[in-house]
């Protein structure tokens, strides 16, 4: 089976960091978000096709430098084609069925089991669903017998939500669904293609443990906690020369002598956290500097950002090269 991963979004909710770094390459618990999504794929996947657009060159360069167990190919859109148009654009040569994954969902999901369920039920599609307290920002499924999806509403008013089971952004489709997507223009798979597909049999696959759409600063940090708690953030602990609890994931050489780390921190390569400084529940990207006695909590520091000595940064997103 092949897998398509949609990687073409602008990541507007994570600006200003996404002006410099595409959302999928933001490190979360020690590796780019995209790689946590790829980790969910079964070992026997033949090929991964990344449908790229925004900052396609950066994504292409990263995946070439960081190969995985399956071949990864990138196909860039000249103009954003949306989730359906992006899929249609890479349709040539897809397997039957194929996986379709969003690149920003950080979850515990057994996609091998989902594939078995898909084959057993025999519909045109199987979509992972996750139960949330507030389904309003998501696509929400109405479920019938055998978890057949009998209705699907995008971003409903709370009173109109048919359930609390939302589209988790991980799915399997038969090739025939590609015929339901018009070519050559932007198409939302969820809004334009899905409603017509339901009559052909689309089933839900309920996820149990955790799931997060890592599209906003708060959610990316929550996703990082979930991944660390699930031991998907590497060995943890704190880097040599530093103090504190961790877990801390380091992605390359760092200079952190005399610094203190609380829980859930990712440090990119060539990060400096000076003596007396503290970092907790944050993502500190490549080349950033946290000066002496500064404190960073609940924040995402873009590449080469700087927090000046003694300053406090809490709940902030700093752009590439920004100073606080
Ligand atoms: P925001 O701008 O913050 O809403 O983020 P986003 O652009 O990533 O949008 P959203 O979270 O709704 O996207 C869901 C998934 O579809 C993500 O994996 C996106 O990368 C992907 N995606 C969104 N639009 C496009 C597109 O036009 N083309 C492709 N190939 N992928 C897309």
């Amino acid at each position: 089976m092949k897998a398509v991963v949609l990687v073409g979004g602008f990541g507007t909710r994570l600006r200003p960091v996404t002006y410099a770094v595409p959302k999928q390459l933001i490190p979360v618990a020690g590796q780019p978000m995209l790689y946590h999504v790829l980790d969910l794929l079964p070992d026997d996947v033949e090929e991964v096709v990344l449908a790229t657009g925004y900052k396609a060159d950066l994504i292409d360069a990263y995946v070439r430098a960081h190969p995985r167990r399956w071949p990864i190919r990138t196909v860039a859109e000249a103009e954003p084609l949306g989730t359906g148009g992006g899929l249609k654009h890479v349709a040539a040569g897809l397997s039957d069925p194929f996986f379709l994954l969003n690149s920003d969902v950080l979850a515990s999901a057994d996609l091998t089991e989902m594939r078995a369920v898909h084959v057993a039920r025999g519909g045109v599609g199987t979509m992972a669903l996750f139960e949330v307290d507030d389904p309003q920002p998501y696509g929400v499924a109405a479920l019938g017998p055998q978890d057949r999806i009998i209705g699907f509403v995008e971003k409903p008013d709370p009173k109109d939500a048919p359930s609390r089971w939302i589209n988790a952004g991980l799915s399997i489709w038969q090739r025939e669904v590609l015929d339901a997507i018009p070519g050559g223009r932007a198409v939302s798979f969820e809004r334009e293609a899905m409603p017509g597909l339901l009559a052909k049999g689309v089933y839900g696959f309920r996820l149990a443990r955790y799931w997060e759409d890592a599209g906003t600063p708060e959610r990316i940090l929550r996703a990082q906690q979930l991944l660390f708690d699930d031991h998907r953030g590497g060995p943890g602990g704190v880097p040599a020369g530093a103090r504190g609890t961790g877990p801390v994931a380091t992605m390359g050489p760092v200079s952190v002598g005399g610094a203190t780390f609380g829980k859930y921190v990712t440090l990119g390569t060539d990060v400096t956290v000076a003596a007396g400084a503290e970092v907790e529940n944050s993502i500190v990207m490549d080349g950033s500097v946290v000066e002496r006695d500064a404190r960073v909590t609940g924040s995402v520091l873009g590449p080469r950002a700087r927090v000046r000595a003694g300053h406090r940064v809490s709940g902030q997103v700093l752009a590439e090269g920004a100073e606080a």
Side-chain angles (χ1 to χ4, degrees):
M1 243 174 109
K2 297 193 179 183
V4 175
V5 187
L6 297 168
V7 194
F10 288 98
T12 51
R13 293 166 296 162
L14 280 161
R15 287 175 179 168
V17 161
T18 45
Y19 286 127
V21 182
K23 173 163 73 172
Q24 294 76 12
L25 294 186
I26 295 176
V28 186
Q31 64 177 351
M33 176 186 313
L34 171 65
Y35 279 67
H36 284 293
V37 177
L38 297 179
D39 281 348
L40 298 175
L41 287 169
D43 288 346
D44 60 4
V45 159
E46 271 172 75
E47 184 187 42
V48 177
V49 182
L50 304 183
T52 57
Y54 182 62
K55 298 207 178 281
D57 49 340
L58 295 183
I59 292 168
D60 192 56
Y62 194 93
V63 297
R64 280 173 196 274
H66 299 83
R68 280 298 191 263
R69 52 190 184 274
W70 346 258
I72 305 179
R73 184 162 59 93
T74 61
V75 181
E77 290 153 33
E79 297 291 328
L81 291 173
T83 50
L87 168 60
K88 184 85 172 184
H89 188 242
V90 302
L94 279 186
S95 56
D96 194 21
F98 60 89
F99 286 106
L100 177 65
L101 312 182
N102 284 358
S103 51
D104 53 0
V105 293
L106 298 176
S108 165
D110 184 341
L111 297 189
T112 304
E113 192 194 338
M114 183 160 91
R115 177 171 57 186
V117 166
H118 175 77
V119 171
R121 288 185 181 152
V124 292
T126 299
M127 176 180 278
L129 303 173
F130 188 73
E131 191 175 30
V132 296
D133 291 335
D134 174 17
Q136 194 278 328
Y138 305 105
V140 188
L143 293 167
Q146 277 199 307
D147 284 345
R148 182 163 176 169
I149 300 178
I150 52 176
F152 191 75
V153 198
E154 274 293 320
K155 301 185 174 50
D157 268 1
K159 63 176 179 7
D160 298 331
S163 76
R164 292 192 292 128
W165 289 91
I166 60 153
N167 174 5
L170 308 167
S171 52
I172 298 178
W173 300 96
Q174 296 299 130
R175 273 193 63 91
E176 65 177 281
V177 306
L178 298 167
D179 300 336
I181 306 170
R185 66 166 174 89
V187 180
S188 162
F189 186 73
E190 298 78 9
R191 289 177 194 275
E192 291 187 60
M194 272 280 287
L197 294 173
L198 297 185
K200 298 180 176 210
V202 179
Y203 291 88
F205 175 77
R206 298 181 194 231
L207 301 182
R209 291 181 56 215
Y210 62 87
W211 176 89
E212 192 63 72
D213 158 18
T216 67
E218 298 74 29
R219 292 198 200 140
I220 210 171
L221 292 175
R222 205 139 69 88
Q224 171 160 271
Q225 291 189 20
L226 293 167
L227 292 170
F228 271 124
D229 287 346
D230 195 22
H231 310 290
R232 289 171 66 187
V238 292
R243 292 188 292 260
T245 57
V248 178
T250 53
M251 298 175 67
V254 293
S255 171
V256 295
T260 301
F261 292 96
K263 290 176 113 179
Y264 310 124
V265 176
T266 291
L267 302 178
T269 193
D270 296 326
V271 162
T272 301
V273 183
E278 280 182 52
V279 181
E280 181 175 44
N281 186 33
S282 293
I283 293 167
V284 183
M285 295 176 64
D286 295 356
S288 285
V289 178
V290 180
E291 293 181 352
R292 188 171 277 274
D293 301 325
R295 183 170 158 75
V296 176
T297 54
S299 295
V300 179
L301 309 192
R304 290 166 292 287
R306 176 176 294 270
V307 180
R308 281 170 291 154
H311 278 244
R312 300 278 180 270
V313 168
S314 175
Q316 289 189 43
V317 177
L318 297 191
E320 176 182 34
E323 279 206 13

